[in-house]
Amino acid sequence: MTHPSVRALISVDELAAAIQKGASPVLLDVRWQVAGPSQYPLYLAGHLPGARWCDLDVDLADPPGARGRHPLPDPHRLETRLRSWGIEPESEVVVYDQANSVAAARAWWVLCWAGLRHVRVLDGGFQAWSDAGYLVDTEQPQPGDGAVSVRPGSMPTLDADTAADWAAAGRLIDVRAPERFRGELEPIDPVAGHIPGAVNLPTTANVQASGHFLPEPALRQRFSEAGVAGPARAAGPAGAAEAAGAAGPAGAAGAAGPAGPDGPAEPAATKEPTDPDAPVGVYCGSGVTAAHTVLAMRLAGIEAALYPGSWSEWITDPSRPIATG
């Protein structure tokens, strides 16, 4: 396992200072809208200086199929793309989206999974950068010629069988909107409901109305109240957690957050943590918003495993059980 950078976020002021000093990281614009049109026109209209366009649906996923709507990308194809962005083995990379970091978190997770060690998310995204009055550019960089090598598997993942086992033990978190979890509304996938035993903790409550992540103490409190306490991640380089890095049974908790790709969050009852050393897994509709909660947990000092196929893969096998309510 590799050791992704401890600091998973960077502020707009920190990034602006680095660019001014001539130490700009590789910048990836990952603006994206679930089930919506490409955000590439927004990139063309204005992006951070030197930023390259990253298409979440194409660059950070394989085509939809039996592995879900956003399967993990083929490593060789991903490596080719990373090199075209000029990424070297020790490059600093900063990813950003419009504001709430849902798409940027997917990019962060995929790049860490691929073995990159120094990847950070721009907190508040393009909106925070623009609001701060920093320079926006329309020039498109020339293709790069990096030499990074992809080492897939550098972040912990779950397959469907393991997700079922962890759900049965109350250790699998569903981060979709409550109405999707309950099976009352399913605007994207053909089947509604959730993995039996999973508990709902919407990822939209991890951020403020501005799109900035909640302060780390607030995130720790949110996950602790939900039963996701887990041993604190040690200081120093964070291990790409073995799948035993976090917590016990999780319940839907935390104050309501701003609307996001999976809809508005709703507050719900908390649960007392049981085994603080039990691992925790996270899933969503297709492995995108779940990465956002994995990132929020990382900020809170908790390591979690991602089920990449998530609900859209789970329902491809009619023998797998489905729960509602």
Side-chain angles (χ1 to χ4, degrees):
M1 291 288 184
T2 63
H3 298 275
S5 173
V6 150
R7 296 194 61 216
L9 294 184
I10 185 172
S11 71
V12 294
D13 291 339
E14 289 176 302
L15 178 57
I19 293 174
Q20 187 175 20
K21 293 177 182 177
S24 177
V26 177
L27 299 174
L28 300 181
D29 186 316
V30 202
R31 281 179 278 185
W32 174 80
Q33 184 178 352
V34 63
S38 170
Q39 303 298 289
Y40 185 56
L42 291 182
Y43 168 80
L44 295 178
H47 49 261
L48 271 64
R52 300 175 182 275
W53 173 246
C54 173
D55 188 325
L56 186 151
D57 293 318
V58 176
D59 300 325
L60 304 178
D62 272 358
R67 293 189 295 136
R69 285 187 281 110
H70 289 104
L72 293 181
D74 173 77
H76 297 293
R77 186 172 63 84
L78 177 62
E79 181 176 277
T80 299
R81 193 66 173 129
L82 296 179
R83 290 180 175 184
S84 76
W85 290 329
I87 297 178
E88 303 290 349
E90 293 299 319
S91 288
E92 299 276 348
V93 181
V94 171
V95 296
Y96 70 89
D97 57 26
Q98 184 62 29
N100 65 10
S101 296
V102 167
R106 167 72 178 205
W108 167 83
W109 191 93
V110 168
L111 268 57
C112 290
W113 169 82
L116 276 67
R117 295 170 54 90
H118 310 294
V119 186
R120 287 189 278 177
V121 170
L122 180 63
D123 197 20
F126 179 84
Q127 190 64 55
W129 180 268
S130 178
D131 289 348
Y134 290 123
L135 179 65
V136 172
D137 196 6
T138 57
E139 184 176 348
Q140 299 182 57
Q142 294 298 312
D145 186 24
V148 69
S149 295
V150 164
R151 299 184 300 279
S154 297
M155 290 285 273
T157 59
L158 305 177
D159 59 18
D161 291 339
T162 307
D165 292 342
W166 286 24
R171 296 187 274 108
L172 184 68
I173 296 173
D174 184 319
V175 306
R176 297 174 299 163
E179 61 271 18
R180 292 185 68 192
F181 174 82
R182 294 190 295 260
E184 298 166 357
L185 175 68
E186 183 45 72
I188 302 174
D189 293 307
V191 180
H194 60 266
I195 298 174
V199 290
N200 189 218
L201 191 67
T203 202
T204 47
N206 292 327
V207 295
Q208 306 169 58
S210 64
H212 292 83
F213 276 92
L214 295 174
E216 293 178 17
L219 287 172
R220 284 193 292 270
Q221 180 178 356
R222 179 174 191 244
F223 295 130
S224 179
E225 289 175 350
V228 188
R233 175 169 48 81
E242 303 299 333
D262 282 325
E266 293 180 3
T270 62
K271 295 182 72 173
E272 291 299 322
T274 52
D275 179 4
D277 294 318
V280 63
V282 183
Y283 82 99
C284 58
S286 65
V288 175
T289 55
H292 190 261
T293 287
V294 172
L295 173 57
M297 288 184 172
R298 168 68 63 84
L299 299 176
I302 301 167
E303 297 293 352
L306 177 73
Y307 176 20
S310 285
W311 181 246
S312 58
E313 178 193 50
W314 181 268
I315 60 175
T316 61
D317 184 346
S319 70
R320 293 179 185 136
I322 293 171
T324 58

